[in-house]
mmCIF file of all heavy atoms in Angstrom:
data_model
loop_
_atom_site.group_PDB
_atom_site.id
_atom_site.type_symbol
_atom_site.label_atom_id
_atom_site.label_comp_id
_atom_site.label_asym_id
_atom_site.label_seq_id
_atom_site.Cartn_x
_atom_site.Cartn_y
_atom_site.Cartn_z
ATOM 1 N N LEU A 10 96.128 82.482 82.717
ATOM 2 C CA LEU A 10 96.596 82.438 84.097
ATOM 3 C C LEU A 10 96.259 83.802 84.707
ATOM 4 O O LEU A 10 96.742 84.840 84.230
ATOM 5 C CB LEU A 10 98.121 82.214 84.105
ATOM 6 C CG LEU A 10 98.842 81.906 85.418
ATOM 7 C CD1 LEU A 10 98.871 83.118 86.345
ATOM 8 C CD2 LEU A 10 98.308 80.703 86.163
ATOM 9 N N GLY A 12 95.955 86.086 88.378
ATOM 10 C CA GLY A 12 96.467 86.076 89.715
ATOM 11 C C GLY A 12 96.158 87.360 90.466
ATOM 12 O O GLY A 12 95.921 88.387 89.858
ATOM 13 N N ARG A 14 97.073 89.230 94.540
ATOM 14 C CA ARG A 14 97.624 89.091 95.888
ATOM 15 C C ARG A 14 96.493 88.910 96.862
ATOM 16 O O ARG A 14 95.469 89.613 96.748
ATOM 17 C CB ARG A 14 98.317 90.386 96.285
ATOM 18 C CG ARG A 14 99.547 90.664 95.513
ATOM 19 C CD ARG A 14 100.040 92.042 95.871
ATOM 20 N NE ARG A 14 101.129 92.307 94.955
ATOM 21 C CZ ARG A 14 102.314 92.793 95.359
ATOM 22 N NH1 ARG A 14 102.506 93.061 96.611
ATOM 23 N NH2 ARG A 14 103.274 92.971 94.501
ATOM 24 N N LEU A 43 95.515 81.933 90.405
ATOM 25 C CA LEU A 43 96.610 81.899 91.401
ATOM 26 C C LEU A 43 96.377 82.903 92.539
ATOM 27 O O LEU A 43 96.119 84.073 92.289
ATOM 28 C CB LEU A 43 97.885 82.258 90.643
ATOM 29 C CG LEU A 43 99.111 82.534 91.470
ATOM 30 C CD1 LEU A 43 99.929 81.297 91.593
ATOM 31 C CD2 LEU A 43 99.976 83.638 90.894
ATOM 32 N N ALA A 45 98.468 84.824 94.886
ATOM 33 C CA ALA A 45 99.880 85.136 94.885
ATOM 34 C C ALA A 45 100.347 85.474 96.293
ATOM 35 O O ALA A 45 100.668 86.639 96.612
ATOM 36 C CB ALA A 45 100.166 86.275 93.908
ATOM 37 N N HIS A 48 103.903 86.852 96.821
ATOM 38 C CA HIS A 48 104.056 88.235 96.379
ATOM 39 C C HIS A 48 103.818 89.264 97.482
ATOM 40 O O HIS A 48 104.349 90.370 97.420
ATOM 41 C CB HIS A 48 103.130 88.547 95.205
ATOM 42 C CG HIS A 48 103.705 88.221 93.862
ATOM 43 N ND1 HIS A 48 103.771 86.952 93.370
ATOM 44 C CD2 HIS A 48 104.262 88.997 92.920
ATOM 45 C CE1 HIS A 48 104.325 86.986 92.158
ATOM 46 N NE2 HIS A 48 104.631 88.209 91.866
ATOM 47 N N TYR A 132 110.360 90.597 91.750
ATOM 48 C CA TYR A 132 109.054 89.924 91.815
ATOM 49 C C TYR A 132 108.369 89.712 90.430
ATOM 50 O O TYR A 132 107.683 88.716 90.256
ATOM 51 C CB TYR A 132 108.111 90.523 92.861
ATOM 52 C CG TYR A 132 107.208 91.643 92.452
ATOM 53 C CD1 TYR A 132 105.946 91.408 91.911
ATOM 54 C CD2 TYR A 132 107.568 92.965 92.663
ATOM 55 C CE1 TYR A 132 105.104 92.448 91.569
ATOM 56 C CE2 TYR A 132 106.735 94.008 92.320
ATOM 57 C CZ TYR A 132 105.492 93.751 91.771
ATOM 58 O OH TYR A 132 104.658 94.764 91.437
ATOM 59 N N GLN A 136 106.521 86.358 88.933
ATOM 60 C CA GLN A 136 105.259 86.422 88.177
ATOM 61 C C GLN A 136 105.406 85.720 86.837
ATOM 62 O O GLN A 136 104.504 85.018 86.393
ATOM 63 C CB GLN A 136 104.833 87.869 88.002
ATOM 64 C CG GLN A 136 103.455 88.026 87.397
ATOM 65 C CD GLN A 136 102.858 89.399 87.636
ATOM 66 O OE1 GLN A 136 103.332 90.187 88.464
ATOM 67 N NE2 GLN A 136 101.822 89.711 86.906
ATOM 68 N N ASP A 139 105.047 82.183 87.539
ATOM 69 C CA ASP A 139 103.637 81.866 87.791
ATOM 70 C C ASP A 139 102.910 81.603 86.468
ATOM 71 O O ASP A 139 102.100 80.682 86.346
ATOM 72 C CB ASP A 139 102.914 83.058 88.436
ATOM 73 C CG ASP A 139 103.437 83.439 89.806
ATOM 74 O OD1 ASP A 139 104.104 82.597 90.439
ATOM 75 O OD2 ASP A 139 103.183 84.582 90.245
ATOM 76 N N ILE A 140 103.183 82.452 85.511
ATOM 77 C CA ILE A 140 102.447 82.415 84.232
ATOM 78 C C ILE A 140 102.965 81.211 83.395
ATOM 79 O O ILE A 140 102.155 80.451 82.840
ATOM 80 C CB ILE A 140 102.624 83.749 83.458
ATOM 81 C CG1 ILE A 140 101.970 84.892 84.276
ATOM 82 C CG2 ILE A 140 102.051 83.640 82.059
ATOM 83 C CD1 ILE A 140 102.364 86.294 83.774
ATOM 84 N N VAL A 148 97.047 86.689 79.914
ATOM 85 C CA VAL A 148 97.045 87.062 81.321
ATOM 86 C C VAL A 148 96.107 88.267 81.473
ATOM 87 O O VAL A 148 96.418 89.357 80.981
ATOM 88 C CB VAL A 148 98.475 87.448 81.783
ATOM 89 C CG1 VAL A 148 98.533 87.618 83.269
ATOM 90 C CG2 VAL A 148 99.501 86.410 81.325
ATOM 91 N N GLN A 154 99.878 96.147 85.359
ATOM 92 C CA GLN A 154 100.580 94.858 85.326
ATOM 93 C C GLN A 154 101.141 94.533 83.913
ATOM 94 O O GLN A 154 101.820 93.531 83.781
ATOM 95 C CB GLN A 154 99.639 93.757 85.784
ATOM 96 C CG GLN A 154 99.243 93.830 87.240
ATOM 97 C CD GLN A 154 100.405 93.542 88.184
ATOM 98 O OE1 GLN A 154 101.147 92.578 88.005
ATOM 99 N NE2 GLN A 154 100.637 94.442 89.166
HETATM 100 N N1 LIG B 1 101.612 90.980 90.547
HETATM 101 C C1 LIG B 1 100.180 90.894 90.597
HETATM 102 C C2 LIG B 1 99.655 92.044 91.450
HETATM 103 O O1 LIG B 1 100.369 92.601 92.246
HETATM 104 C C3 LIG B 1 99.719 89.602 91.155
HETATM 105 C C4 LIG B 1 100.224 88.411 90.412
HETATM 106 C C5 LIG B 1 101.160 87.538 90.803
HETATM 107 C C6 LIG B 1 99.817 87.995 89.118
HETATM 108 N N2 LIG B 1 101.370 86.562 89.894
HETATM 109 C C7 LIG B 1 100.560 86.820 88.821
HETATM 110 C C8 LIG B 1 98.882 88.488 88.202
HETATM 111 C C9 LIG B 1 100.398 86.156 87.617
HETATM 112 C C10 LIG B 1 98.739 87.805 86.993
HETATM 113 C C11 LIG B 1 99.512 86.661 86.692
HETATM 114 O O2 LIG B 1 98.507 92.367 91.353
#
Side-chain angles (χ1 to χ4, degrees):
L10 189 293
R14 293 172 187 228
L43 170 95
H48 272 78
Y132 89 87
Q136 187 161 346
D139 297 340
I140 296 165
V148 190
Q154 294 291 312

